[in-house]
Amino acid sequence: MPESDDLFVREDPIFTNKELLEISHLPDEGRIVGRDEEISHLANAVNPAIFGQSPSNVLIYGKTGTGKSLCAKYISRRLVETAEEEDINAVFAYVDCAQDTTETQAVQTIASSVNTDATDIYIPDKGISTATYYKRLWRLLNDEYDVALIILDEIDKLEDDAILMQLSRAGEAGKVTDCKIGVMGISNKIKYKDRMDERVKSSLCEREFVFPPYNASQLNKIMTARSDAFRRGVLEDAVIPRAAALAAREHGDARKAIDILRYAGEIAQTRGTESVREEFIVQARERAEIDRFRELIRGSTPHSRYVLQALTVLSLDQQREEGDVENSGFRTTRIYDVYEQICRQEGTDALSLRRVRDLLKEHAFLDILEQARHSGGSAEGSYTEHTLLEDPGVVKNVLEDTVE
């Protein structure tokens, strides 16, 4: 093959710094848009830490993509920097509870995060008991720090409240005497607190904040602040306003809005155009929704998908009959009837109605569907209706793509 072949593009014609459009990227202060009030409230809650005092424990609620994790990380980073100026040794640890769902996994992540090369304390990935992880964590905090702030993102994904109990009462129990601990819990579920242990609730829920969805103006500013991810002049003027309006109308989710902008750039790359056009936004939105939902159901069992397919079939039938209206709910028994038909088509035995109820609850936990309990009076008794929260067309496409 000749040396001058064009197999690889040596200079990206669309992007200059694509990292600015990645979800994992933590932007500078100037790039955090529309959350001044929330940042101020969070800073006020943890402010005592810069004097070596106990920061307030905080619970942050809000839909996905409303800046909860972004602001929590930003405040924690600034806290550590400001405390250092006051000769206070502070640290923060971040735990993604969707990944570290067990008490052992979470405490290992915290201990590993606050450990340094300067200590003689070893935190292995596995192989020691939960109690030993705690002992090493308490020793690290007592020996190395004045204040520690622990961020538990997607806190509702934890299997139980055990680590919350340990962290919120470590000082009271005398396990940590020389370090003040603050916990910042983040959840997409506004009713998460209702299922917490009462003892944890009393010590953990000192301050609570709700992050609302972003509006079109805020989303426009968020994407404009990251527009230098692209080469100068490649974004058509209408691209960001169109993406912002689309995202605000549907969900107010900054993550999805940024995904749409990135995908629009990738579509321009694929087509070999010199600019990112407004017409690419709708295509990018469809791709973003499909990719996000595919990630959501990745690893689900065949019967979990069959149950979801049954609800999708009902929702699509409803759309065809009633037009483009908001989906209404379907009773468990009706979903089960369609599910049984799908199982027969697939040549497999259907699970019990009780197990299908459990699978529907799992989908509700992932915010794929919404459950509502109704009373049918003395004649019908109570029943549950399930409403698909996702676009049924998107769900249908993803389920077809993920057939094993």
Side-chain angles (χ1 to χ4, degrees):
M1 184 174 290
E3 293 182 5
S4 60
D5 75 272
D6 295 324
L7 180 60
F8 298 104
V9 176
R10 296 176 184 273
E11 186 174 276
D12 192 325
I14 300 296
F15 296 102
T16 56
N17 186 5
K18 199 173 180 181
E19 182 183 325
L20 294 174
L21 301 174
E22 296 297 332
I23 296 303
S24 58
H25 176 71
L26 183 60
D28 300 329
E29 179 180 3
R31 296 180 188 269
I32 299 179
V33 176
R35 288 293 177 254
D36 292 347
E37 184 177 346
E38 287 79 7
I39 287 174
S40 178
H41 288 326
L42 286 175
N44 179 263
V46 301
N47 196 79
I50 68 172
F51 306 113
Q53 300 169 10
S54 297
S56 296
N57 293 319
V58 172
L59 275 179
I60 305 172
Y61 304 101
K63 291 184 177 180
T64 302
T66 52
K68 304 182 301 297
S69 304
L70 178 68
C71 291
K73 290 178 181 178
Y74 170 72
I75 284 296
S76 300
R77 187 178 64 188
R78 286 291 305 275
L79 171 70
V80 172
E81 294 170 355
T82 307
E84 184 178 5
E85 296 171 2
E86 299 292 332
D87 293 325
I88 297 296
N89 196 1
V91 69
F92 81 91
Y94 174 84
V95 182
D96 180 357
C97 299
Q99 299 294 322
D100 297 325
T101 58
T102 69
E103 179 186 15
T104 303
Q105 291 170 334
V107 69
Q108 190 278 335
T109 295
I110 296 169
S112 180
S113 297
V114 303
N115 200 10
T116 68
D117 294 336
T119 74
D120 61 353
I121 301 174
Y122 175 55
I123 308 295
D125 291 338
K126 56 185 178 180
I128 61 176
S129 68
T130 305
T132 303
Y133 277 126
Y134 274 119
K135 288 177 181 177
R136 296 184 185 183
L137 172 61
W138 304 146
R139 183 182 160 197
L140 277 167
L141 296 180
N142 276 320
D143 292 351
E144 303 296 326
Y145 302 103
D146 300 306
V147 178
L149 191 60
I150 313 299
I151 302 174
L152 299 174
D153 203 352
E154 296 198 63
I155 191 173
D156 47 89
K157 301 290 176 61
L158 288 171
E159 289 185 353
D160 53 46
D161 293 341
I163 192 166
L164 304 181
M165 183 77 74
Q166 291 282 351
L167 293 173
S168 64
R169 304 210 162 196
E172 180 184 330
K175 295 171 183 176
V176 177
T177 55
D178 298 323
C179 178
K180 307 297 184 183
I181 300 176
V183 177
M184 194 176 287
I186 303 173
S187 176
N188 299 334
K189 302 182 183 301
I190 197 72
K191 295 182 179 180
Y192 164 69
K193 189 177 72 170
D194 295 344
R195 73 177 206 216
M196 290 174 66
D197 183 284
E198 287 299 325
R199 293 169 296 173
V200 174
K201 193 184 300 185
S202 66
S203 57
L204 191 63
C205 303
E206 293 181 61
R207 304 280 290 274
E208 298 178 43
F209 304 107
V210 178
F211 279 45
Y214 290 106
N215 59 37
S217 175
Q218 291 170 329
L219 289 171
N220 195 319
K221 291 177 181 177
I222 287 169
M223 286 185 281
T224 299
R226 301 191 186 210
S227 61
D228 48 342
F230 296 89
R231 289 196 175 278
R232 186 183 299 275
V234 303
L235 283 177
E236 287 189 354
D237 291 342
V239 166
I240 287 179
R242 179 69 186 277
L246 193 65
R249 187 181 71 216
E250 296 188 357
H251 41 66
D253 185 329
R255 291 186 185 183
K256 292 182 184 178
I258 293 169
D259 274 345
I260 290 171
L261 191 59
R262 186 179 74 254
Y263 285 140
E266 291 174 355
I267 290 171
Q269 279 182 320
T270 302
R271 296 193 177 185
T273 63
E274 296 180 351
S275 62
V276 182
R277 302 172 185 167
E278 181 184 356
E279 67 194 65
F280 297 162
I281 291 299
V282 173
Q283 301 164 43
R285 175 255 180 196
E286 292 173 357
R287 177 177 165 185
E289 286 297 306
I290 288 172
D291 284 358
R292 184 188 66 83
F293 189 71
R294 183 181 288 112
E295 185 66 29
L296 201 59
I297 66 169
R298 185 189 299 275
S300 60
T301 65
H303 283 277
S304 179
R305 292 196 294 273
Y306 298 157
V307 170
L308 186 55
Q309 183 181 345
L311 180 55
T312 303
V313 167
L314 290 168
S315 299
L316 287 170
D317 287 345
Q318 183 186 70
Q319 277 191 356
R320 282 191 286 268
E321 293 172 5
E322 301 178 14
D324 189 16
V325 297
E326 187 172 338
N327 293 334
S328 59
F330 300 93
R331 294 193 187 191
T332 308
T333 50
R334 190 173 176 191
I335 296 171
Y336 188 76
D337 289 342
V338 178
Y339 160 76
E340 284 187 311
Q341 295 174 23
I342 292 170
C343 287
R344 284 195 291 270
Q345 293 169 5
E346 296 294 332
T348 185
D349 294 333
L351 301 177
S352 67
L353 178 60
R354 180 176 180 178
R355 180 60 186 133
V356 167
R357 284 197 186 99
D358 290 340
L359 292 173
L360 287 166
K361 286 180 182 177
E362 291 175 14
H363 288 311
F365 184 76
L366 292 173
D367 291 328
I368 294 172
L369 58 87
E370 186 175 62
Q371 295 181 315
R373 192 75 175 162
H374 298 280
S375 175
S378 57
E380 294 185 83
S382 60
Y383 59 91
T384 301
E385 283 192 341
H386 312 268
T387 305
L388 192 63
L389 296 178
E390 305 289 335
D391 181 333
V394 169
V395 179
K396 179 177 181 290
N397 290 337
V398 173
L399 288 173
E400 289 175 350
D401 289 344
T402 56
V403 172
E404 294 183 342

